[in-house]
Amino acid sequence: MSRIHVTTKINGDETEFLCEAEATLLDVLRDELGLTGTKEGCGTGDCGACSVTVDGRLVCSCLMLGAEAEGREITTIEGMATGETLHPLQKKFIEMAALQCGICTPGILVAAKSLLERNPDPSEEEVRYWLAGNLCRCTGYDKIIRAVLDTAADMRRAS
Amino acid sequence: MRFEAPRSVEEAVTALAGQTGAHVLAGGTDLLVKLRAEMIEPDLIVDIKRIAGMREIAAEEGGWRIGAAVSGAEMGEHAGLVADWPGVVEAAGLIGSTQVQGRATLAGNLCNASPAADSVPAMVAAGAVARIVGPEGTRDLAVIDVPKGPGKTALERGEFIASIFLPARGARSGDAYLRFIPRTEMDIAVVGCGISLSLDEAGRVTAARVALGAVGPKVILVEAAAEAIKRRVLDEAALSDLAEACSKAATPIDDKRGTVAFRRHVAGVLARRAAVIAEARAKGETA
Amino acid sequence: MVKVLLWGSLADLADGAREVEVEADTLRALLDGLARDHPGLRPELARGVSVSIDGRIYNDSWFTPIGPESEVVLLKRLQGG
Amino acid sequence: MALDDSKKPREFKIVGTRPDRPDGIDKVTGRARFGADMVAPGMLTGRILRSPHAHARIKRIDTSKAESLPGVKAVVTRVDFGAVPDHVADIMDNCMAGEKALYDGHAIAAVAAISPAVARHALKLIEVDYEVLPHVTDVDEAMKPGAPVLHEGRQEETVPKGMSGNVIARAEFGHGDIEAGLKQADRVVERTYRTAATHQGYIEPHACLATMGADGQGDLWVCTQGHYMVRNTCAAILGLEQGQLRVTASEIGGGFGGKTTVFLEPVALMLAKKSGRPVKMVMSRSEVLRATGPTSSTSIDVKIGMTKEGRITAGFAELRYQGGAWPGSPVNMGAMSGFAPYDLENVKTVGWDVVTNRPKAAAYRAPGAPMAAFAIESAIDELAKGFGLDPLAVRLMNGADEGTKSSYGPTYPAIGLKATLEAARKHPHWTAPLGKNQGRGVACGFWFNFGGDTCVSLNITPDGTVTVSEGNPDIGGSRASMTMMAAEELGIPYDQVRTIIADTGSLGQNEVTDGSRVTFAVGLATIEAARAAKREMCRRAAMIWDIDEDAVEWEDGAARPAGPNAGKFPPMTIKEIAAVASNTGGPIAGHHEVTAEGAGVSFATHMVDVEVDPETGATKILRYTVFQDAGKAVHPSYVEGQFQGGAVQGIGWALNEEYIYGEDGILQNAGFLDYRIPVASDLPMIDTVILEIPNPGHPYGVRGVGETSIVPPLAAIANAVSAAAGVRMTQLPMSPPRVLAAIQADG
């Protein structure tokens, strides 16, 4: 059982790792690279806690093999803030109490950022459908949706 | 288990043909779930995404050829494809979450051979054709003939689907796909219905294909439903006949997602609603 | 003496009385007194009970004072989520 | 010093504001460490082999092949644990099966290996001989004579002779004369209601990392609602001294009651002990659903009489709850709470605790109460509508108030039920127009709220800032609340205080984070700890000023002479006192240890609009408003969050969530695909109205708010769906096939 050598870019950093063929990208991020901000809630693509982007595309890292990451660019929650400067979504989530336990928060932030990059002015319905694959059991989603809409408005004003 | 990511169809076919227990990986959104659940224990996984053309949508003979590794999200962003086959694109777009959309493919949805696959009734209604490559060369097979039953396909050892072809969209034509799920997202279809139709200048149906999902061991093309609306405008009577034909054609089972009675009834309800959307699209109205 | 209200089926175990009187000025004395005077209640007391004293619910505090006019109600042990 | 709070309404500076939570940055950057995020050098992976049968005698387990597989470092079965004390016997049995497997997913054996792949392989090498036994998963079936019996000799003396051994206990509550009350009624509704088992559905699966030495010392990192409970339970099971086992609570990714017991932890410790290596165990989602603690499924008969004016003359309910494979369903709390919102002359409830071949029920947010409220609030709604009465007015007419003798016995002190009803009646939602196929429902709910053992230690650092150590995992923002209450009491800014969750070695016993107790009980202890520190700081200032201790008071973060006679000294701030602490007697701290009693009960009224698709039976939630009494909302955003979260869990319970068992007793939907919790696109915004009727049992008037919010939604939604569909729904979930069938049967 030989391990596969993979060269990839994670949060802007050239990264190499070895993985078993059956290891998911999520396994690699968490267990090989220590990037535990990406969470596993189900392992079957139903909860979105493991959301990352691959070449700019939002995916569940539990539904992708680590070996597939060869040559790709991956962004995780750890790549969202710049130094000590939080992304506006991160700031707003704290300010508007858009998290309770916080386990779904990394995945939701990665997903919401991906939405705002594509659509800077989403409707409430668009936010709700975009985030339908990110389960949150604490908040009832209300404050999450409001925080995303509010951030979008702030970012539009700032640009 | 080994992992290979060949650069050509030939390499992929050789790898697949040369190894028992080999599985094709495109979007992986079904394969990885099965892997984790230990439903499959492959000896080899062949990732086809690095083969030229697999991630392309190309115009061909007035229609569209969609590479086997094109994701639902990529389809949704392709203006030409969306304009011609909105029903197929929407059906693909209903598979899983935004995240799953970033990976899931038409070919994968088809090869998974689930009776409830969302994109399959839409493709069948569209008259889509799968291009299959394998040790014996290339062959085309109508999408409806690919699944043989739950989890079973017509693919031979070493074969895989390289692309899906959606034919030229004629004038005054439209398609639509609707499914029923208990929530608004993230569920497997309890019933699905794809409809593609063409109208004459008077608004009468000249051609129609109606397909149902999740009400039999595989997708059902309901000829009687198409016949029920041909040469008619889609008035209440025509829609009722359509719905009745679909309910009658459905051969569902009771399971954790729905009952026989519910599925039969809703098959008709969805057919009627999908037909109205397809008709509006055929007339150039937005829907 | 303190009047103690029992829940319905507990009364069956205290010879049918919905209300019993116990000599007690604390929660501990109350529980001891109940067990002493009404042996039928012992299994339930052993499984644990909550006690409402003047509308406040107590689980464990033995030396919670109880006045002669206090309203005392025995409750099934409560558990939260 | 005179610190006694006068009874006058208090003006708050920090309590009631909405500061950023202290763990906010950790949680939005991915730095926060949850159960599965911890590693240890030399760590092994632990995995559990689970029963594929609902009920089976375990005749033989052969682990020899697994043990000899290279890379396997330990294999554990029940034999390794030996005999355990009675009070943890059922918990032990649930963590690792003894003579019988009692449900699909019951743990049979466990391995620790050098990698997940080796561990997986090892599980396949364990041979188990099962004698499959008949099983029962339905509560009504389990009660029938002749049903397969799970346990012999567990029936309590409260159960009439001759009933199935699965019927564990019976309890009866209430007062008055039901038959006499029913005679006064103009109409009586009598119906049977059923609810499916649901799961708490926290997104973080159970996880822990255990170390256990031959010297009897152990360390455990775990996601739990109560690490002190984990310590005590594991120590009892493994025969350890509590003081030798240090448990650290990770950040917790949701619990809702489901993490108030142990599942993996004793097994992980035993694997660690046998292997001599740290062992990490993480459940899969399917394991969480199959083998942790969902709530009860229930079957409830209700009989309520009402006059045509709307006065309830009698209320009766008989509740049957199955609590899984061991005794202890929350039926009594359902039976005690169902009629609690009402002032009734004649009320009686009977609760039956029943065992079945399902995982042992754990607490789920107001355990037992939502199902009872569903049945009773549905019947009240049906009566009110039958008379053409306003359902809010009927509830107000019968509503409990200060001085009401409650259905479970005690007389209420000041309570907020009627305030929530009045607020609901005045809210624009109540009079908003409804469209075709739409319906509106309301329902009330009650929860007891708890206190319990609590320790808080508050330390003043040399620079005069403050650290608070508490022992209750922060599940929804409680560190922010404690920080606020400490800062309020000390009269210093919020950002001068930091609150941490201490491990079991650092504080005394703390009750689990449950029963909506934390903001109440830990808040109370935090305030008292701050008061102790203030007293000490006043004493230090008195020493420096050389005046009497009683002549110093604390105000706005500084010690001051209490009056003109005390002497003229400029105030000494907390920073100034802290700076010279070493010169005045040493470090300054305050601490408080208490069994907090006096939690105030809590009431809510929920209002919901739905639209039902008459062709498919699908329900859409259009609008939702929660009215709840919080006593005093310390951090209103997190109070709103509790209201919203509870309401949405209730929406899931009402519409789609259910444990589906096949004829074979196997759980058919052990995943988030088919165990359908609400997703963002299913919902509207959840509006909230916070009422504040202070709890006299807390210095700031705080009541628990976490649980009450899940009590009314089931009934409120059922009432709305019934109105929209034109047919009374009596069974949950109101899934589309069920609603459509009801509409069609109604013609």
Side-chain angles (χ1 to χ4, degrees):
Chain A
M1 200 161 57
S2 63
R3 284 158 55 103
I4 300 163
H5 178 262
V6 177
T7 305
T8 182
K9 198 176 254 189
I10 299 181
N11 299 327
D13 298 326
E14 198 77 38
T15 305
E16 292 179 53
F17 59 83
L18 292 174
C19 69
E20 313 285 349
E22 63 263 37
T24 64
L25 176 61
L26 176 61
D27 295 336
V28 169
L29 290 171
R30 291 182 55 84
D31 301 338
E32 298 290 326
L33 304 174
L35 294 171
T36 54
T38 305
K39 305 300 180 190
E40 176 171 318
C42 67
T44 50
D46 296 308
C47 81
C50 67
S51 296
V52 300
T53 61
V54 176
D55 292 343
R57 184 73 71 184
L58 182 68
V59 302
C60 284
S61 57
C62 75
L63 292 185
M64 174 172 163
L65 294 175
E68 292 181 77
E70 174 67 35
R72 307 282 182 223
E73 286 197 25
I74 290 153
T75 311
T76 70
I77 185 65
E78 287 90 349
M80 195 157 170
T82 311
E84 61 174 359
T85 309
L86 297 180
H87 184 279
L89 276 164
Q90 293 174 306
K91 257 191 272 188
K92 188 70 77 179
F93 266 55
I94 298 174
E95 187 186 310
M96 293 183 67
L99 58 134
Q100 282 179 31
C101 79
I103 192 83
C104 70
T105 309
I108 289 188
L109 285 167
V110 167
K113 177 166 174 273
S114 165
L115 168 64
L116 297 189
E117 282 164 2
R118 279 171 176 71
N119 180 359
D121 190 9
S123 66
E124 181 189 330
E125 189 179 22
E126 285 169 329
V127 177
R128 286 187 180 278
Y129 274 88
W130 184 271
L131 294 179
N134 289 91
L135 301 182
C136 169
R137 190 61 155 172
C138 294
T139 65
Y141 305 101
D142 181 299
K143 291 183 191 298
I144 292 171
I145 305 300
R146 287 181 202 274
V148 174
L149 289 168
D150 235 56
T151 309
D154 286 354
M155 289 173 74
R156 288 197 303 276
R157 272 194 294 273
S159 66
Chain B
M1 184 177 115
R2 291 183 302 120
F3 173 86
E4 285 185 24
R7 301 284 167 156
S8 71
V9 166
E10 293 69 28
E11 282 175 58
V13 167
T14 306
L16 288 168
Q19 171 81 57
T20 51
H23 286 254
V24 175
L25 169 64
T29 53
D30 285 314
L31 187 76
L32 266 80
V33 174
K34 290 181 184 167
L35 254 182
R36 179 175 172 105
E38 298 177 36
M39 287 162 65
I40 55 167
E41 292 184 7
D43 295 306
L44 171 68
I45 282 188
V46 178
D47 179 3
I48 60 169
K49 286 191 290 296
R50 290 173 198 268
I51 300 172
M54 289 292 152
R55 303 193 64 175
E56 280 170 22
I57 301 171
E60 183 179 311
E61 293 173 2
W64 297 102
R65 182 162 296 282
I66 302 164
V70 171
S71 71
E74 287 162 341
M75 289 172 61
E77 289 160 10
H78 192 284
L81 183 62
V82 172
D84 280 357
W85 293 103
V88 175
V89 173
E90 281 167 5
L94 288 173
I95 304 165
S97 59
T98 313
Q99 287 82 343
V100 168
Q101 283 298 299
R103 302 258 301 166
T105 66
L106 283 184
N109 198 219
L110 180 57
C111 291
N112 190 46
S114 159
D118 280 308
S119 71
V120 176
M123 285 195 282
V124 167
V129 177
R131 175 153 297 168
I132 297 167
V133 294
E136 308 298 320
T138 299
R139 64 182 176 123
D140 284 348
L141 185 65
V143 161
I144 191 167
D145 294 324
V146 174
K148 289 287 177 201
K152 293 199 172 63
T153 70
L155 295 181
E156 302 289 337
R157 180 166 169 182
E159 285 189 327
F160 68 96
I161 293 179
S163 63
I164 302 286
F165 180 69
L166 293 174
R169 180 83 276 198
R172 290 186 299 279
S173 300
D175 75 329
Y177 173 79
L178 291 176
R179 67 169 180 186
F180 184 84
I181 53 172
R183 292 180 291 189
T184 52
E185 273 281 0
M186 304 304 293
D187 288 332
I188 301 290
V190 181
V191 186
C193 179
I195 293 191
S196 175
L197 48 78
S198 300
L199 307 175
D200 66 15
E201 283 176 0
R204 285 183 299 252
V205 175
T206 56
R209 286 170 68 86
V210 181
L212 296 175
V215 291
K218 59 169 278 188
V219 62
I220 301 171
L221 181 66
V222 189
E223 308 273 6
E227 282 307 315
I229 56 173
K230 268 186 199 159
R231 298 168 297 280
R232 297 171 77 177
V233 293
L234 290 175
D235 54 13
E236 182 53 34
L239 290 171
S240 290
D241 291 347
L242 167 72
E244 196 187 319
C246 285
S247 290
K248 200 179 276 180
T251 56
I253 56 168
D254 282 325
D255 69 8
K256 63 189 172 189
R257 294 178 185 139
T259 60
V260 167
F262 181 79
R263 285 184 158 121
R264 271 187 190 282
H265 175 80
V266 172
V269 172
L270 293 184
R272 167 196 284 266
R273 291 177 181 180
V276 171
I277 297 169
E279 180 195 29
R281 286 173 174 164
K283 289 177 172 171
E285 297 159 7
T286 48
Chain C
M1 295 294 268
V2 181
K3 290 194 180 102
V4 184
L5 186 68
L6 308 178
W7 70 78
S9 44
L10 203 56
D12 302 340
L13 305 172
D15 309 318
R18 280 307 296 274
E19 202 167 70
V20 297
E21 292 207 342
V22 182
E23 184 68 54
D25 55 357
T26 64
L27 182 53
R28 185 191 195 188
L30 178 92
L31 295 173
D32 288 349
L34 283 173
R36 183 187 59 232
D37 301 346
H38 303 279
L41 299 181
R42 284 179 196 163
E44 280 288 1
L45 293 171
R47 283 190 285 269
V49 292
S50 297
V51 181
S52 168
I53 303 169
D54 293 327
R56 280 196 189 190
I57 293 171
Y58 297 84
N59 280 333
D60 303 300
S61 298
W62 277 355
F63 301 108
T64 305
I66 302 177
E69 298 306 313
S70 292
E71 179 202 60
V72 179
V73 184
L74 226 52
L75 305 172
K76 275 273 188 182
R77 183 79 173 193
L78 298 169
Q79 168 210 1
Chain D
M1 147 193 126
L3 273 175
D4 185 36
D5 274 337
S6 61
K7 298 292 175 207
K8 68 176 188 290
R10 171 163 187 155
E11 298 227 343
F12 293 103
K13 291 199 171 78
I14 293 170
V15 165
T17 65
R18 301 174 188 240
D20 290 352
R21 61 193 285 165
D23 51 328
I25 290 179
D26 279 355
K27 286 190 173 161
V28 300
T29 56
R31 288 202 312 240
R33 281 192 297 188
F34 290 83
D37 297 340
M38 185 59 93
V39 293
M43 182 175 89
L44 302 173
T45 298
R47 296 239 174 186
I48 289 189
L49 180 71
R50 296 185 181 280
S51 169
H53 305 294
H55 196 190
R57 190 169 309 284
I58 301 167
K59 294 165 70 180
R60 186 185 65 100
I61 305 179
D62 184 348
T63 59
S64 55
K65 285 183 188 145
E67 277 160 26
S68 56
L69 182 71
V72 172
K73 301 296 175 187
V75 181
V76 162
T77 65
R78 178 56 182 276
V79 173
D80 292 284
F81 292 91
V84 302
D86 283 351
H87 74 281
V88 291
D90 287 353
I91 299 173
M92 173 77 257
D93 257 358
N94 196 17
C95 290
M96 191 63 74
E99 290 172 10
K100 290 205 292 184
L102 290 167
Y103 58 91
D104 165 40
H106 196 174
I108 303 295
V111 302
I114 55 167
S115 74
V118 174
R120 266 200 311 274
H121 186 191
L123 291 187
K124 290 185 181 153
L125 298 178
I126 297 175
E127 293 169 12
V128 186
D129 275 357
Y130 294 102
E131 177 195 344
V132 177
L133 303 169
H135 63 271
V136 62
T137 56
D138 178 82
V139 62
D140 290 322
E141 292 299 320
M143 289 179 79
K144 287 181 182 163
V149 174
L150 276 75
H151 308 279
E152 299 296 341
R154 294 299 297 267
Q155 200 162 61
E156 290 180 6
E157 72 289 350
T158 53
V159 178
K161 298 282 166 269
M163 295 192 78
S164 162
N166 296 323
V167 181
I168 300 297
R170 176 187 183 278
E172 186 185 309
F173 308 90
H175 54 255
D177 182 339
I178 294 297
E179 289 313 313
L182 290 173
K183 280 188 194 130
Q184 297 162 31
D186 291 312
R187 188 172 298 165
V188 174
V189 157
E190 188 171 5
R191 281 197 187 273
T192 299
Y193 302 83
R194 294 175 64 86
T195 69
T198 57
H199 193 273
Q200 299 83 355
Y202 34 82
I203 308 300
E204 180 198 29
H206 297 258
C208 67
L209 171 58
T211 315
M212 185 76 237
D215 55 2
Q217 283 185 17
D219 283 274
L220 188 65
W221 162 271
V222 57
C223 70
T224 176
Q225 286 176 245
H227 42 311
Y228 293 82
M229 168 278 297
V230 172
R231 177 192 64 183
N232 302 351
T233 309
C234 290
I237 286 176
L238 283 103
L240 305 172
E241 286 165 10
Q242 291 177 356
Q244 297 301 316
L245 178 59
R246 185 179 63 153
V247 183
T248 306
S250 70
E251 293 293 338
I252 175 170
F256 316 108
K259 292 175 183 169
T260 58
T261 184
V262 296
F263 299 104
L264 294 175
E265 297 82 352
V267 179
L269 283 163
M270 185 57 83
L271 287 168
K273 185 179 174 200
K274 278 187 91 170
S275 65
R277 306 249 305 250
V279 174
K280 180 167 164 179
M281 300 187 85
V282 181
M283 279 196 192
S284 68
R285 177 54 51 184
S286 134
E287 287 181 290
V288 170
L289 288 165
R290 283 171 77 201
T292 64
T295 188
S296 295
S297 60
T298 73
S299 163
I300 303 172
D301 302 332
V302 173
K303 195 171 186 181
I304 299 179
M306 191 181 276
T307 66
K308 59 183 187 298
E309 293 77 26
R311 182 73 210 167
I312 300 172
T313 59
F316 171 78
E318 183 152 4
L319 308 94
R320 298 169 291 272
Y321 287 27
Q322 68 74 23
W326 289 274
S329 82
V331 67
N332 294 322
M333 287 183 289
M336 289 196 282
S337 67
F339 283 107
Y342 302 105
D343 183 354
L344 303 177
E345 231 172 275
N346 308 299
V347 58
K348 181 168 145 182
T349 56
V350 177
W352 298 92
D353 182 21
V354 182
V355 294
T356 63
N357 293 111
R358 295 184 180 223
K360 176 167 169 52
Y364 180 19
R365 209 169 193 158
M371 310 79 138
F374 161 62
I376 289 163
E377 293 286 313
S378 290
I380 290 174
D381 191 73
E382 187 173 354
L383 282 162
K385 288 193 174 141
F387 289 124
L389 299 171
D390 172 342
L392 283 178
V394 166
R395 285 175 172 83
L396 268 167
M397 181 192 296
N398 295 286
D401 217 334
E402 185 166 358
T404 295
K405 182 179 168 59
S406 69
S407 56
Y408 60 97
T411 303
Y412 288 126
I415 54 170
L417 173 77
K418 286 192 171 174
T420 68
L421 285 163
E422 293 287 4
R425 203 150 71 151
K426 285 188 208 119
H427 197 276
H429 184 169
W430 185 231
T431 47
L434 287 168
K436 199 181 167 206
N437 299 321
Q438 296 179 357
R440 177 168 298 145
V442 295
C444 295
F446 159 89
W447 186 242
F448 301 95
N449 292 331
F450 305 133
D453 288 344
T454 309
C455 301
V456 168
S457 173
L458 182 150
N459 287 279
I460 314 288
T461 63
D463 72 357
T465 53
V466 174
T467 62
V468 175
S469 301
E470 53 139 321
N472 276 90
D474 175 355
I475 205 160
S478 62
R479 268 167 296 192
S481 300
M482 298 318 139
T483 304
M484 292 171 78
M485 284 186 266
E488 180 79 48
E489 195 61 34
L490 291 166
I492 59 176
Y494 174 79
D495 61 10
Q496 302 273 297
V497 182
R498 181 170 178 186
T499 301
I500 62 146
I501 313 301
D503 63 39
T504 56
S506 307
L507 291 171
Q509 173 67 13
N510 284 280
E511 176 57 76
V512 176
T513 295
D514 71 356
S516 305
R517 75 176 214 93
V518 171
T519 310
F520 164 73
V522 185
L524 185 147
T526 299
I527 291 166
E528 292 300 336
R531 288 177 177 175
K534 285 197 299 190
R535 276 193 295 274
E536 179 60 18
M537 288 189 286
C538 287
R539 197 178 70 81
R540 302 290 177 97
M543 286 167 70
I544 290 167
W545 292 332
D546 195 19
I547 62 174
D548 194 58
E549 219 176 297
D550 290 338
V552 181
E553 65 179 12
W554 189 266
E555 201 184 318
D556 285 341
R560 301 160 198 271
N565 297 336
K568 276 195 170 25
F569 302 99
M572 270 194 94
T573 64
I574 187 169
K575 287 187 185 303
E576 290 164 345
I577 295 169
V580 297
S582 303
N583 310 106
T584 60
I588 300 171
H591 59 97
H592 193 70
E593 294 76 29
V594 66
T595 301
E597 311 273 24
V601 299
S602 159
F603 290 90
T605 298
H606 287 203
M607 189 180 296
V608 57
D609 295 352
V610 305
E611 182 169 322
V612 173
D613 181 339
E615 290 187 320
T616 65
T619 297
K620 182 177 169 62
I621 304 288
L622 301 171
R623 186 171 181 178
Y624 203 106
T625 311
V626 176
F627 307 87
Q628 188 177 321
D629 174 18
K632 175 69 199 170
V634 176
H635 192 307
S637 294
Y638 290 105
V639 172
E640 291 161 5
Q642 291 296 322
F643 291 6
Q644 291 163 336
V648 168
Q649 289 183 338
I651 289 170
W653 198 338
L655 296 181
N656 282 311
E657 292 178 35
E658 61 178 319
Y659 264 50
I660 304 170
Y661 280 92
E663 289 293 310
D664 53 4
I666 304 301
L667 182 62
Q668 298 197 337
N669 58 336
F672 273 144
L673 182 61
D674 285 305
Y675 184 83
R676 303 185 186 94
I677 76 170
V679 301
S681 50
D682 293 343
L683 300 162
M685 294 298 182
I686 308 295
D687 295 327
T688 57
V689 176
I690 302 175
L691 285 306
E692 294 189 325
I693 291 91
N695 169 22
H698 185 277
Y700 295 173
V702 168
R703 294 175 196 270
V705 297
E707 291 170 290
T708 309
S709 54
I710 203 173
V711 182
L714 282 52
I717 296 161
N719 292 339
V721 169
S722 300
V727 52
R728 179 54 60 176
M729 298 303 299
T730 56
Q731 189 172 353
L732 301 186
M734 293 176 285
S735 56
R738 192 167 279 153
V739 173
L740 185 67
I743 292 173
Q744 289 176 337
D746 197 51

